[in-house]
Amino acid sequence: MDVKGYTQDGTVDLRCRPALASKTGKWKACAFLVGYEAFERMAFYGIASNLVNYLTTQLHEDTVSSVRNVNNWSGSVWITPILGAYIADAYLGRFWTFTVSSLIYVMGMIFLTMAVSLKSLRPTCENGVCNKASTSQIAFFYGALYIIAIGAGGTKPNISTFGADQFDDFNPHEKELKVSFFNWWMFSSFLGALFATLGLVYIQENLGWGLGYGIPTVGLLLSLFIFYLGTPIYRHKVRKTRSPAKDLIQVPITAFKNRKLQLPDDPSALHELELRYYVSSGKRQIHHTTALRFLDKAAIKESSTNSCRPPCTVTQVEGMKLILGMILIWLVTLIPSTIWAQINTLYVKQGTTLDRTLGPDFHIPAASLGSFVTLSMLISVPMYDRYFVPFMRRKTGNPRGITLLQRLGIGFGIQVIAIAIAYAVEVRRMHVIRSHHIAGPKDIVPMSIFWLLPQYILLGIADVFNAIGLLEFFYDQSPEDMQSLGTTFFTSGIGIGNFLNSFLVTMADKITGKFGQKSWIANNLNDSHLDYYYGFLLVISTLNLGVFLWASSRYIYKREIKEVEGCEQIEAIAMEISPLGLQV
């Protein structure tokens, strides 16, 4: 957009008028968005962090079933964004997809609050003997949970990308502001999670589950009201491609049809539109790379396929290469997501067996230890943004301090240390159990719950590197018009990690409990071998770190071409220009 006073990236307001740079976007617009994120995370973690306890104490499910059901629901919450992002990128846009989905989310929260509050929807207890939940009660409870999962599918991938859209990549000042956006976006998310794990968990176990779920429901409604107050100053990306996913699918199909054609020695002989087309249309041209050269055949000008359709452009081909590279990185995030899934499942059940007294009359809810994950995040994010990044920027010359893949590698390494400590602590717990001849499922092991603190704190520090880094990586590296869908690489990785943990827990219980042997994960964790399961996770996470180092060395960052005062300029949007991902 060349008109002075308007944004240069072609963003518009809700009425599709060009957005005024001075009156829209930037942090003043994001201020309305971060409030929603904080309340939404409060609602999600208010459910997820203590759900395993609700299922075992209120619905009377066994340990393996409750862990499996928590993982399956959490996995669904993180998987459904694939559909929500596709709808946003291909049809409704981020704002309207978020609007519809947020109403579904709130409806699910209302139903869930009813499920834990109304007597007719809960199992009854008489003289200390509790009946199992009826089929209709179970159906209503899980129905509410999965309505929330559907709503999250449209809100999660679009609210963060909508926030990033408030910064103009073509404005140097706004682009500098955007470097810190995802750090502070996740900071607001951590605040919501902190209140959930410290306050809501205590309220649920001591004042009632209905109040514990009702508070975040009201908070979510309030945050939506605040979100819509900012509507006049929001910027909206214009969808420039009718079906971006379809365009990408066309690349491998065309390349296969042209498989017998010879690639030209000079990449400039491949089909590409003039730079002025990209400038006038507001689209972005991607620089050609030498990776996956077979796909370049889709851009051969002289095609023998006798098709009336023109060949793909180099930018389309490079978009497909980006997706394939992101898939490779995505695959090595699944094991770290599996490690993260322990926080709301086995770590909580492990904590319930330990001494949780703090003073004569106060018992720490086991799920509240998750607050230390959040506290370590809240402390680490400002330190990372204000001290670590400027220090490394002076050392490396990289505006981010370190590359995105270096950031992920550090986070994954810290996770390996965290699961090693979790294994060592569980070995210690098993030793105390044997020393005191403890066998009952409800017997308390004379060992403080604070032994679990190091693993929680380290996972929080690791998340500052890998969770924020992944969100930023997949947003920046996605092809244009697919940034909502690209962000779902982040969410779906967490979802698959939860499903993977559900599968591993189920299989570990079935295989190790055969022929009357002691199961690694049984209802009675005082007579199990959870240390073996943690040892297994330590081995696969260490191997996965090695695979990540290899995959990152193969990754080539996205570089876009833009026109600066009549000259072409190649710009590394991710600010990483080295083909070796772990190097600066």
Side-chain angles (χ1 to χ4, degrees), residues 76-386:
S76 298
V77 169
W78 293 105
I79 284 290
T80 51
I82 295 175
L83 179 61
Y86 177 76
I87 292 172
D89 283 340
Y91 299 103
L92 297 182
R94 288 161 197 162
F95 180 84
W96 291 112
T97 304
F98 170 82
T99 296
V100 174
S101 301
S102 63
L103 297 177
I104 297 174
Y105 198 124
V106 169
M107 182 174 67
M109 286 298 299
I110 292 172
F111 286 158
L112 188 65
T113 304
M114 292 170 57
V116 300
S117 302
L118 300 179
K119 288 185 177 181
S120 60
L121 297 175
R122 291 184 291 123
T124 57
C125 296
E126 293 182 6
N127 300 322
V129 179
C130 296
N131 298 319
K132 285 192 174 183
S134 66
T135 303
S136 60
Q137 290 170 340
I138 293 173
F140 191 89
F141 180 81
Y142 280 104
L145 280 180
Y146 282 93
I147 288 174
I148 292 172
I150 293 171
T155 59
K156 193 61 186 169
N158 292 305
I159 188 67
S160 58
T161 49
F162 187 64
D165 290 346
Q166 305 308 308
F167 300 92
D168 187 349
D169 275 334
F170 294 98
N171 182 307
H173 174 65
E174 291 193 25
K175 185 171 181 177
E176 186 176 339
L177 293 175
K178 188 177 179 179
V179 169
S180 297
F181 168 74
F182 285 106
N183 289 335
W184 293 102
W185 175 263
M186 293 297 283
F187 185 85
S188 69
S189 175
F190 300 156
L191 281 176
L194 178 64
F195 182 79
T197 51
L198 274 180
L200 292 182
V201 166
Y202 179 82
I203 291 171
Q204 289 164 1
E205 294 192 7
N206 295 276
L207 301 179
W209 292 90
L211 184 61
Y213 287 161
I215 291 174
T217 302
V218 174
L220 206 58
L221 285 167
L222 176 63
S223 68
L224 283 175
F225 175 75
I226 295 172
F227 172 82
Y228 290 112
L229 286 179
T231 300
I233 62 173
Y234 293 150
R235 296 175 183 175
H236 304 263
K237 284 284 181 75
V238 178
R239 187 159 48 91
K240 303 180 182 76
T241 305
R242 186 172 296 273
S243 181
K246 183 179 179 181
D247 287 348
L248 289 179
I249 293 172
Q250 181 187 345
V251 171
I253 294 175
T254 307
F256 180 76
K257 289 180 179 178
N258 296 346
R259 62 189 181 279
K260 295 183 180 180
L261 298 182
Q262 186 70 31
L263 276 171
D265 295 329
D266 185 359
S268 63
L270 296 171
H271 177 61
E272 181 59 290
L273 302 174
E274 295 290 334
L275 180 58
R276 66 174 67 93
Y277 163 79
Y278 290 97
V279 174
S280 62
S281 64
K283 295 183 178 181
R284 299 178 186 179
Q285 183 179 356
I286 305 179
H287 179 66
H288 177 264
T289 63
T290 57
L292 300 171
R293 293 204 66 205
F294 172 78
L295 293 176
D296 287 346
K297 292 192 174 186
I300 296 177
K301 293 179 180 179
E302 295 80 20
S303 173
S304 63
T305 58
N306 298 319
S307 174
C308 59
R309 177 180 292 176
C312 299
T313 64
V314 169
T315 293
Q316 286 177 302
V317 172
E318 291 303 318
M320 187 66 212
K321 291 180 183 180
L322 284 171
I323 293 295
L324 293 176
M326 289 162 63
I327 289 174
L328 183 62
I329 299 299
W330 177 82
L331 287 172
V332 292
T333 69
L334 300 184
I335 296 301
S337 294
T338 302
I339 303 301
W340 178 259
Q342 311 310 313
I343 292 175
N344 295 327
T345 53
L346 290 177
Y347 282 8
V348 176
K349 294 301 296 180
Q350 185 183 18
T352 60
T353 69
L354 301 176
D355 181 10
R356 296 181 286 135
T357 56
L358 192 65
D361 301 315
F362 185 78
H363 285 73
I364 303 169
S368 286
L369 239 60
S371 62
F372 286 93
V373 175
T374 310
L375 281 170
S376 63
M377 290 175 177
L378 290 173
I379 294 170
S380 300
V381 166
M383 292 180 64
Y384 182 90
D385 194 67
R386 298 304 182 194

Side-chain angles (χ1 to χ4, degrees), residues 460-476:
I461 296 172
D463 226 35
V464 171
F465 286 90
N466 54 31
I468 302 174
L470 280 170
L471 182 60
E472 190 173 3
F473 174 81
F474 289 127
Y475 176 84
D476 275 356

Side-chain angles (χ1 to χ4, degrees), residues 59-70:
L59 295 187
H60 314 296
E61 294 184 0
D62 60 74
T63 299
V64 172
S65 295
S66 62
V67 169
R68 182 172 59 243
N69 288 331
V70 171

Side-chain angles (χ1 to χ4, degrees), residues 509-520 527:
D509 177 57
K510 287 185 176 180
I511 294 173
T512 61
K514 277 186 176 181
F515 310 115
Q517 296 181 10
K518 185 183 294 186
S519 172
W520 287 4
D527 191 33

Side-chain angles (χ1 to χ4, degrees), residues 275 279 561-570:
L275 180 58
V279 174
I561 304 172
K562 70 175 184 178
E563 189 174 47
V564 179
E565 296 181 355
C567 300
E568 291 186 14
Q569 176 179 317
I570 297 177

